[in-house]
Amino acid sequence: LPDRVNILVAGCGTGLQPIRDARRFLHENITAIDLSINSLAYAKRKATEMGLGNIEFMQADIMNLKGYDNQFDFVESVGVLHHLEAPLAGWEVLCGLLKKNGVMRLGLYSEHARKAIVATRRYIQQQGFTDNLDDIRLCRQAIFALAEHDPVRSVIDSPDFYSASECRDLIFHVNEHRLTLAHVADYIEHLNLEFLGFEFPDFHTIRKYQECYPEDKQALKLELWDAYERRNPETFASQYVFWCKKI
């Protein structure tokens, strides 16, 4: 990245990502967008409380940013694109806002890792639960009561299951798309990007992967990661979080 970094956080929610970036890149320009004016208001208030004046919050739809006249060195969009009607079209729009040699940090849902979520969504539809607060609570109690071996019950392992708002996003979201790493690799090539690597909370997964594929010393071969994930479907239980570069 250059000495002065122009940052876009696409889908900033209540402000966690842009505030984290503002504390990490103290003197950089950060633009944070979201559809929800309520989320933006909360994010703005928290940023003001922390004395962070380098974040500009704007209400905007990613799909309406095509042709936006600002260009960015760093674009971050984690947990957002897979909720769009056309996630890969949204990814393409963000690529159009990225400077040459700029980098992206993205988070996308895995098809393999979210099989239990898919099963749970089917269960919710069958049982007729809605996403209001009372039904979320009733649904959680019903899932707790399922047999231990029921695949739906495995969602209780997610920390998101234990608060109503996170549970709504986890299993009640109205629009969710999932990808495989083969899809990710195809779109990285289509968008003329260079894959820079996955982000994990520790080195455990990388070490396990490299034990299986010692020839991939930098852990950058997505076709091998795809094979690894098929054998270890919980690898990306949260989502694929990865970095890439515009070339």
Side-chain angles (χ1 to χ4, degrees):
L1 291 171
D3 292 336
R4 297 285 296 175
V5 183
N6 199 18
I7 298 170
L8 171 66
V9 180
C12 69
T14 52
L16 178 63
Q17 289 174 344
I19 286 172
R20 184 181 289 159
D21 289 341
R23 298 178 74 175
R24 183 180 181 188
F25 303 101
L26 293 176
H27 306 294
E28 315 306 347
N29 299 314
I30 300 171
T31 301
I33 67 165
D34 202 88
L35 273 176
S36 168
I37 196 70
N38 290 335
S39 294
L40 288 166
Y42 181 87
K44 174 67 174 174
R45 187 168 84 245
K46 299 309 287 185
T48 301
E49 286 175 5
M50 296 180 187
L52 300 171
N54 58 335
I55 309 173
E56 181 183 10
F57 291 99
M58 301 195 311
Q59 186 180 28
D61 185 333
I62 288 173
M63 298 308 299
N64 291 336
L65 291 177
K66 195 170 184 178
Y68 183 57
D69 59 3
N70 202 354
Q71 291 277 298
F72 299 91
D73 305 292
F74 176 35
V75 172
E76 185 173 25
S77 187
V78 176
V80 177
L81 293 178
H82 47 231
H83 291 312
L84 300 181
E85 286 295 334
L88 298 169
W91 189 355
E92 191 162 2
V93 170
L94 295 182
C95 279
L97 301 175
L98 191 63
K99 294 179 183 178
K100 183 180 178 181
N101 295 320
V103 295
M104 308 184 83
R105 178 178 180 261
L106 299 177
L108 300 168
Y109 281 150
S110 160
E111 184 70 65
H112 299 300
R114 290 182 73 81
K115 287 182 178 177
I117 303 297
V118 173
T120 304
R121 290 176 186 276
R122 194 179 304 119
Y123 171 79
I124 288 169
Q125 290 176 343
Q126 291 168 349
Q127 299 299 314
F129 291 116
T130 66
D131 66 350
N132 66 52
L133 183 58
D134 288 338
D135 268 16
I136 289 173
R137 289 170 172 164
L138 288 171
C139 177
R140 286 192 298 198
Q141 293 306 313
I143 290 172
F144 275 125
L146 293 173
E148 288 284 346
H149 62 273
D150 193 306
V152 172
R153 200 175 188 278
S154 64
V155 298
I156 71 174
D157 294 332
S158 170
D160 292 349
F161 189 74
Y162 296 91
S163 71
S165 59
E166 295 289 357
C167 185
R168 183 183 286 112
D169 188 61
L170 179 70
I171 57 178
F172 284 89
H173 206 289
V174 295
N175 193 32
E176 174 183 307
H177 298 272
R178 298 165 300 278
L179 300 173
T180 66
L181 287 178
H183 292 135
V184 171
D186 286 344
Y187 273 85
I188 283 176
E189 182 178 5
H190 171 71
L191 296 171
N192 199 31
L193 299 170
E194 176 187 354
F195 179 68
L196 299 179
F198 289 111
E199 182 179 311
F200 297 104
D202 55 49
F203 289 105
H204 178 69
T205 302
I206 292 283
R207 288 191 182 117
K208 281 186 65 180
Y209 168 83
Q210 290 180 325
E211 287 172 5
C212 297
Y213 301 103
E215 68 274 22
D216 186 13
K217 290 181 170 48
Q218 294 185 326
L220 294 177
K221 294 185 178 179
L222 285 170
E223 67 275 16
L224 297 183
W225 273 109
D226 184 50
Y228 179 85
E229 186 191 15
R230 289 174 188 275
R231 292 201 301 273
N232 303 275
E234 297 302 313
T235 301
F236 299 98
S238 174
Q239 53 193 312
Y240 302 125
V241 179
F242 61 94
W243 295 65
C244 49
K245 175 182 175 181
K246 189 171 185 178
I247 55 176

